[in-house]
Amino acid sequence: MSAEAGNAKVRITEGGYGTRFLVKLALTVGLGLSLVFGALYLLFSRPLEGGYGSAYAALQNLTQPWLLLPIVGLPVLVYALVVCIVTVVLCVYAIHKVAGPLYRMDRVVDNFISGEPIRAVFFRDGDQAAILADVFNAFVARLRDDRKACQELMVRAESGLDRDPERAVAEMAKAAGEIARHISKYR
Amino acid sequence: MNTMPQYNMRRIILINPRFQLRVAMLFCAIILLGGALLAFQIFRDAQLVLREATSQGHFANDLTPFQLVYKVIVRDLLVMAGGLLVATSILFAVLLRRIHAGILRLVEILLKSAEGDLSTPTAAPGPAEVGVFGDRLDGIRGKTLVLVNEIRADAAALESGKLADAEFRSRWDALKEKLGRLAP
C-alpha cells in the first residue's frame, strides 16, 4: 500500500468509536438535564398557601432575583458539576483508546533507541489506531529482513576463509558491494 | 502461561494527563458555559412568566409556580440539550479529525520508512502528543540512517579492494557488528 494511495482507505479509528462516545455523552447530558428538571419541579411545586393575597405576594416574591436565582442556579450548578465529572471520565476513557497505543509504542521506541531487542507492538481490544502498530511492525520487520540478508551474505562470503583465504577475501569484498547495494534504498 | 509482556497487561487509564485531561477540559468548558447559559435563560424566562402572572392576576388558589413555569423550563432544557449535543459533536469531530490527520501522517511516514525513506521529517499535524511521537520516530529513523550510512561506508571501503589485510579484517568485523545493531 503506498502511503498516498492508502490514505483514502486507511481507517484510524474503528467504526462506531465516535458514535459510542457521543451517545454516552448525550445520555449523560440528557440525564443531567432530566435531573435539573426534576429538581426544578420539586422546588417550584410547593403550593401557594393562604388566600389570593398571600399567593400573589408569594409569586411576586418569587420573581425577586435573591430568591429565584438560587432556586434556578443551584440545580444547574449541581448538574454542571456532575456532568463535568462524568464527562471527564468519559473523555479520559475514550482518549485512552488512542493515547494508550501511542504510549505503548513510545516504550517500544525507547527500546529501539537504547538498542534493546524490539518486541512487536500489540494492541488491546478496543484500542484505536491499530494500523500504526501494523506499519511500525512492518517497518521493523523490513529492517530485520535486510539485516538478515546482509548477514547471510557475510556468512556465505566468510565460509571459504579457511580453505582459500585469497579467494575468500575477494568473495568478502564482493559481498560488501552487494551489501552496499542492498541497503542503497535507505536514504 | 501468559507470555504477553508485563506492560501489555497493565491497565493504566490516565496515560497522558496533558492530552486526555485537556480534551476533557474542552468538553467541560462547553458544559459549564451551557450550564451558565441555561441558568440565565431559565431565570430570565421564569421571572418573565411569573411577573406576567402576577401582573394579570389570573391564577387559582391551588396553583403551584411549577404550573406557570414548566413550559419555559422544558423549552429551555430542550434547547440546551440540542445545543450541547451539537457543540460537543462539533468539538469531538474536530478533535477526531486532528487525531486522524496526525496518525495518518505517522502511518504514511512509517510506510515510507519501510520503503527506505528515513530522512523526510514526520512533522505530524494534530495534537502535540502525536507530534512528539512523530519526533521520536524521526529519532529512530535518523539513528537508523546514521547506522546505515556507516554500514554503507564500511561496505564501500571493503569493496574497493584498497585496504590492507589487517584493515580489511577490522572493517569486516566492524561491518558485522554494525549490521547486528540494525533493528535488533
Side-chain angles (χ1 to χ4, degrees):
Chain A
M1 176 173 60
S2 88
E4 288 81 5
N7 276 359
K9 299 168 198 164
V10 170
R11 278 197 80 93
I12 300 300
T13 50
E14 62 187 32
Y17 168 72
T19 314
R20 275 197 302 276
F21 173 76
L22 286 175
V23 166
K24 285 177 195 165
L25 196 62
L27 284 175
T28 307
V29 169
L31 197 66
L33 292 177
S34 306
L35 289 175
V36 171
F37 182 77
L40 290 175
Y41 169 77
L42 290 175
L43 292 167
F44 278 123
S45 284
R46 285 169 59 190
L48 301 170
E49 289 168 1
Y52 182 84
S54 316
Y56 180 84
L59 270 187
Q60 262 208 328
N61 239 359
L62 208 52
T63 61
Q64 300 303 311
W66 60 267
L67 185 60
L68 187 56
L69 206 54
I71 289 176
V72 173
L74 203 64
V76 175
L77 185 67
V78 172
Y79 144 81
L81 291 177
V82 170
V83 171
C84 276
I85 290 168
V86 178
T87 303
V88 167
V89 173
L90 280 179
C91 283
V92 165
Y93 190 73
I95 301 297
H96 166 77
K97 298 293 181 190
V98 177
L102 276 182
Y103 172 75
R104 285 196 294 283
M105 286 197 63
D106 209 41
R107 297 180 68 143
V108 174
V109 169
D110 275 342
N111 282 356
F112 198 117
I113 288 171
S114 62
E116 288 172 36
I118 310 158
R119 294 169 193 265
V121 184
F122 292 106
F123 278 15
R124 297 179 185 131
D125 277 350
D127 275 351
Q128 305 301 310
I131 188 166
L132 201 54
D134 294 340
V135 290
F136 183 81
N137 292 337
F139 165 56
V140 174
R142 178 69 71 92
L143 279 176
R144 281 187 177 143
D145 287 348
D146 287 336
R147 186 197 67 203
K148 280 178 190 162
C150 292
Q151 285 173 327
E152 277 169 19
L153 281 171
M154 291 186 86
V155 168
R156 209 178 308 142
E158 276 180 329
S159 62
L161 207 56
D162 294 337
R163 292 189 303 271
D164 186 351
E166 259 184 47
R167 187 185 155 89
V169 166
E171 285 293 320
M172 286 157 80
K174 192 176 153 198
E178 280 179 44
I179 288 170
R181 279 185 290 282
H182 197 83
I183 58 171
S184 63
K185 66 181 173 189
Y186 294 108
R187 59 197 185 280
Chain B
M1 191 180 75
N2 195 337
T3 55
M4 286 182 81
Q6 184 66 33
Y7 62 81
N8 268 348
M9 297 303 292
R10 287 207 326 234
R11 298 300 298 175
I12 304 168
I13 301 297
L14 195 59
I15 295 290
N16 188 333
R18 217 160 63 91
F19 183 28
Q20 285 167 285
L21 289 183
R22 197 167 48 197
V23 171
M25 288 305 122
L26 286 173
F27 280 98
C28 285
I30 288 181
I31 287 161
L32 288 174
L33 185 69
L37 282 174
L38 178 67
F40 173 73
Q41 197 64 33
I42 291 178
F43 167 76
R44 204 185 62 171
D45 291 347
Q47 196 180 38
L48 198 69
V49 168
L50 291 169
R51 273 187 183 152
E52 261 176 34
T54 50
S55 66
Q56 288 171 1
H58 297 301
F59 50 86
N61 277 349
D62 57 349
L63 182 83
T64 64
F66 186 75
Q67 286 169 297
L68 292 170
V69 297
Y70 82 93
K71 279 184 186 164
V72 292
I73 289 177
V74 168
R75 187 194 65 198
D76 289 345
L77 288 175
L78 286 177
V79 168
M80 187 46 60
L84 277 178
L85 282 183
V86 169
T88 50
S89 300
I90 290 172
L91 175 63
F92 190 71
V94 169
L95 284 170
L96 212 55
R97 200 181 163 85
R98 278 167 50 80
I99 291 172
H100 273 215
I103 298 209
L104 265 181
R105 177 64 182 162
L106 296 179
V107 167
E108 187 184 338
I109 278 295
L110 281 168
L111 286 171
K112 279 184 177 175
S113 300
E115 287 163 13
D117 179 0
L118 299 174
S119 48
T120 304
T122 302
E129 286 65 25
V130 175
V132 168
F133 184 72
D135 292 344
R136 310 252 300 138
L137 273 185
D138 284 348
I140 60 171
R141 291 166 67 229
K143 190 184 169 194
T144 304
L145 187 58
V146 168
L147 188 59
V148 165
N149 284 338
E150 286 175 14
I151 291 170
R152 205 177 280 147
D154 282 341
L158 287 164
E159 190 189 17
S160 69
K162 293 174 185 165
L163 300 177
D165 268 4
E167 174 74 358
F168 187 91
R169 288 301 308 182
S170 146
R171 278 285 181 118
W172 182 260
D173 289 341
L175 179 62
K176 208 184 274 182
E177 183 270 328
K178 282 168 189 165
L179 271 175
R181 283 194 278 132
L182 191 64

